[in-house]
Amino acid sequence: MQWPQTEAEAIALQLELAPGVDPHEPDGFAPRAVAGLDVDYRDDHVAAAVVVLDADSLIEIESATAIAPARFPYIPGLFSFRELPPLLDAIAKLTVVPDLLVADGHGLAHPRRFGLACHLGVVTGIPTIGVAKTPLGGYEAPADTRGASTPLADKGETVGAALRTRRGVKPVFVSVGHRISLERACAEVLRLTPKYRQPETTRRADRLCRDA
């Protein structure tokens, strides 16, 4: 894949690819192998990690890492051009093809409706969810009940959901990446958060990329 070299080229590519995002899961979608993805930065290098878990038991099936020089400047809204190359390298090392990818970042909750989760999903063709720790857009706080959610809105458009995964803690911000609906994305995130605020996929990928 030819990667953009300038900010203008990157924005143009986002605008070109954004219409390809599909906010519907495939018929009979029942993910078993769910992969969490995260990156860490160190000395102008990006360490990427992917951890594949069994969706029901949350037992690790497989994991992989990749480290590469950062190929693109640190520009808000264009993080995928720094993070995607090593993430794709890590995914390529897997022997198991994940049924679902869970990215530590936004999907449609993005100024051009094409965040990291969308880019990852469109490039791989795998259903993808974005789960971020901070919001893009405005929202009302959901009820302090596990599973409660409220719309995340940007410029008058619903781009995701503020989802309460634990009582007494801040919500996470879920958005569609590719080939999944927002409702189903929230349900899958709840399945992956039995104890903590963030999905187990994200927690384990975070530790792995830091170690790498």
Side-chain angles (χ1 to χ4, degrees), residues 41-47 66-72 81-83 85-86 89:
Y41 294 94
R42 198 72 53 86
D43 299 327
D44 295 324
H45 281 68
V46 184
I67 300 175
R71 303 181 187 179
F72 197 82
F81 295 97
R82 288 171 65 87
E83 300 179 2
D89 289 343

Short mmCIF file of all heavy atoms in Angstrom, two decimals, residues 41-47 66-72 81-83 85-86 89:
data_model
loop_
_atom_site.label_atom_id
_atom_site.label_comp_id
_atom_site.label_asym_id
_atom_site.label_seq_id
_atom_site.Cartn_x
_atom_site.Cartn_y
_atom_site.Cartn_z
N TYR A 41 4.53 4.53 21.81
CA TYR A 41 5.56 5.29 21.11
C TYR A 41 6.83 5.36 21.97
O TYR A 41 6.75 5.56 23.18
CB TYR A 41 5.08 6.72 20.84
CG TYR A 41 3.94 6.82 19.87
CD1 TYR A 41 2.62 6.87 20.31
CD2 TYR A 41 4.16 6.88 18.50
CE1 TYR A 41 1.56 6.97 19.43
CE2 TYR A 41 3.12 6.99 17.61
CZ TYR A 41 1.82 7.03 18.08
OH TYR A 41 0.77 7.14 17.20
N ARG A 42 7.97 5.21 21.31
CA ARG A 42 9.24 5.33 22.03
C ARG A 42 10.34 5.68 21.03
O ARG A 42 10.58 4.93 20.08
CB ARG A 42 9.57 4.01 22.73
CG ARG A 42 10.59 4.09 23.84
CD ARG A 42 10.02 4.78 25.07
NE ARG A 42 8.77 4.18 25.50
CZ ARG A 42 8.70 3.12 26.31
NH1 ARG A 42 9.80 2.54 26.73
NH2 ARG A 42 7.52 2.67 26.70
N ASP A 43 10.98 6.83 21.25
CA ASP A 43 12.13 7.22 20.42
C ASP A 43 11.84 7.17 18.92
O ASP A 43 12.58 6.58 18.13
CB ASP A 43 13.32 6.31 20.74
CG ASP A 43 13.77 6.42 22.19
OD1 ASP A 43 13.64 7.52 22.75
OD2 ASP A 43 14.22 5.41 22.75
N ASP A 44 10.73 7.79 18.52
CA ASP A 44 10.34 7.87 17.10
C ASP A 44 10.03 6.52 16.48
O ASP A 44 10.04 6.37 15.25
CB ASP A 44 11.42 8.58 16.27
CG ASP A 44 11.59 10.04 16.67
OD1 ASP A 44 10.57 10.67 17.01
OD2 ASP A 44 12.73 10.53 16.65
N HIS A 45 9.76 5.54 17.32
CA HIS A 45 9.32 4.24 16.85
C HIS A 45 7.93 3.95 17.43
O HIS A 45 7.56 4.47 18.47
CB HIS A 45 10.29 3.13 17.25
CG HIS A 45 11.51 3.06 16.39
ND1 HIS A 45 12.47 4.05 16.37
CD2 HIS A 45 11.92 2.13 15.49
CE1 HIS A 45 13.41 3.74 15.51
NE2 HIS A 45 13.11 2.57 14.96
N VAL A 46 7.19 3.12 16.71
CA VAL A 46 5.86 2.71 17.15
C VAL A 46 5.88 1.20 17.40
O VAL A 46 6.24 0.42 16.50
CB VAL A 46 4.78 3.03 16.10
CG1 VAL A 46 3.40 2.69 16.64
CG2 VAL A 46 4.85 4.50 15.69
N ALA A 47 5.53 0.80 18.60
CA ALA A 47 5.39 -0.62 18.94
C ALA A 47 3.90 -0.96 18.91
O ALA A 47 3.10 -0.34 19.62
CB ALA A 47 5.97 -0.92 20.31
N ALA A 66 4.81 -5.87 16.62
CA ALA A 66 5.65 -5.36 15.53
C ALA A 66 6.13 -3.97 15.92
O ALA A 66 5.39 -3.20 16.54
CB ALA A 66 4.89 -5.32 14.22
N ILE A 67 7.38 -3.66 15.57
CA ILE A 67 7.96 -2.35 15.86
C ILE A 67 8.48 -1.76 14.56
O ILE A 67 9.13 -2.44 13.77
CB ILE A 67 9.10 -2.47 16.89
CG1 ILE A 67 8.58 -3.07 18.21
CG2 ILE A 67 9.73 -1.11 17.15
CD1 ILE A 67 9.67 -3.34 19.23
N ALA A 68 8.17 -0.48 14.36
CA ALA A 68 8.59 0.17 13.12
C ALA A 68 8.83 1.65 13.38
O ALA A 68 8.22 2.24 14.29
CB ALA A 68 7.52 0.00 12.04
N PRO A 69 9.68 2.29 12.60
CA PRO A 69 9.84 3.74 12.71
C PRO A 69 8.52 4.44 12.36
O PRO A 69 7.77 3.96 11.50
CB PRO A 69 10.91 4.08 11.67
CG PRO A 69 11.60 2.78 11.39
CD PRO A 69 10.57 1.71 11.57
N ALA A 70 8.23 5.52 13.05
CA ALA A 70 7.05 6.30 12.72
C ALA A 70 7.22 6.91 11.33
O ALA A 70 8.19 7.62 11.07
CB ALA A 70 6.83 7.39 13.75
N ARG A 71 6.27 6.60 10.42
CA ARG A 71 6.41 7.05 9.04
C ARG A 71 5.72 8.37 8.75
O ARG A 71 5.85 8.91 7.64
CB ARG A 71 5.81 5.99 8.10
CG ARG A 71 6.40 4.61 8.23
CD ARG A 71 5.74 3.68 7.23
NE ARG A 71 6.13 2.29 7.39
CZ ARG A 71 5.66 1.30 6.64
NH1 ARG A 71 4.79 1.55 5.68
NH2 ARG A 71 6.05 0.06 6.87
N PHE A 72 4.95 8.85 9.72
CA PHE A 72 4.11 10.02 9.44
C PHE A 72 4.15 10.94 10.66
O PHE A 72 4.25 10.47 11.79
CB PHE A 72 2.68 9.57 9.15
CG PHE A 72 1.83 10.60 8.48
CD1 PHE A 72 1.90 10.78 7.11
CD2 PHE A 72 0.97 11.40 9.21
CE1 PHE A 72 1.12 11.75 6.48
CE2 PHE A 72 0.20 12.36 8.60
CZ PHE A 72 0.27 12.54 7.22
N PHE A 81 -2.22 7.02 10.24
CA PHE A 81 -1.10 6.93 9.30
C PHE A 81 0.23 6.66 10.00
O PHE A 81 1.19 6.24 9.37
CB PHE A 81 -1.04 8.18 8.43
CG PHE A 81 -2.23 8.34 7.55
CD1 PHE A 81 -3.30 9.15 7.91
CD2 PHE A 81 -2.33 7.62 6.36
CE1 PHE A 81 -4.42 9.25 7.10
CE2 PHE A 81 -3.45 7.71 5.55
CZ PHE A 81 -4.50 8.54 5.93
N ARG A 82 0.27 6.89 11.32
CA ARG A 82 1.43 6.50 12.12
C ARG A 82 1.27 5.09 12.66
O ARG A 82 2.24 4.32 12.73
CB ARG A 82 1.59 7.46 13.31
CG ARG A 82 2.07 8.84 12.96
CD ARG A 82 1.99 9.78 14.14
NE ARG A 82 2.87 9.42 15.23
CZ ARG A 82 4.14 9.80 15.35
NH1 ARG A 82 4.69 10.54 14.40
NH2 ARG A 82 4.88 9.46 16.38
N GLU A 83 0.04 4.74 13.04
CA GLU A 83 -0.18 3.52 13.80
C GLU A 83 -0.55 2.31 12.95
O GLU A 83 -0.28 1.16 13.34
CB GLU A 83 -1.27 3.78 14.85
CG GLU A 83 -0.90 4.89 15.82
CD GLU A 83 -1.97 5.19 16.85
OE1 GLU A 83 -3.01 4.51 16.85
OE2 GLU A 83 -1.74 6.10 17.68
N PRO A 85 0.56 1.06 9.93
CA PRO A 85 1.58 0.15 9.37
C PRO A 85 2.06 -0.92 10.36
O PRO A 85 2.04 -2.11 10.02
CB PRO A 85 2.68 1.10 8.92
CG PRO A 85 1.96 2.37 8.59
CD PRO A 85 0.89 2.48 9.64
N PRO A 86 2.50 -0.57 11.59
CA PRO A 86 2.92 -1.64 12.50
C PRO A 86 1.77 -2.51 12.97
O PRO A 86 1.97 -3.70 13.23
CB PRO A 86 3.60 -0.90 13.66
CG PRO A 86 3.06 0.49 13.60
CD PRO A 86 2.79 0.77 12.16
N ASP A 89 1.36 -5.06 10.38
CA ASP A 89 2.46 -6.02 10.46
C ASP A 89 2.20 -7.03 11.57
O ASP A 89 2.47 -8.23 11.41
CB ASP A 89 3.78 -5.29 10.73
CG ASP A 89 4.28 -4.50 9.52
OD1 ASP A 89 3.79 -4.74 8.40
OD2 ASP A 89 5.15 -3.63 9.72
#
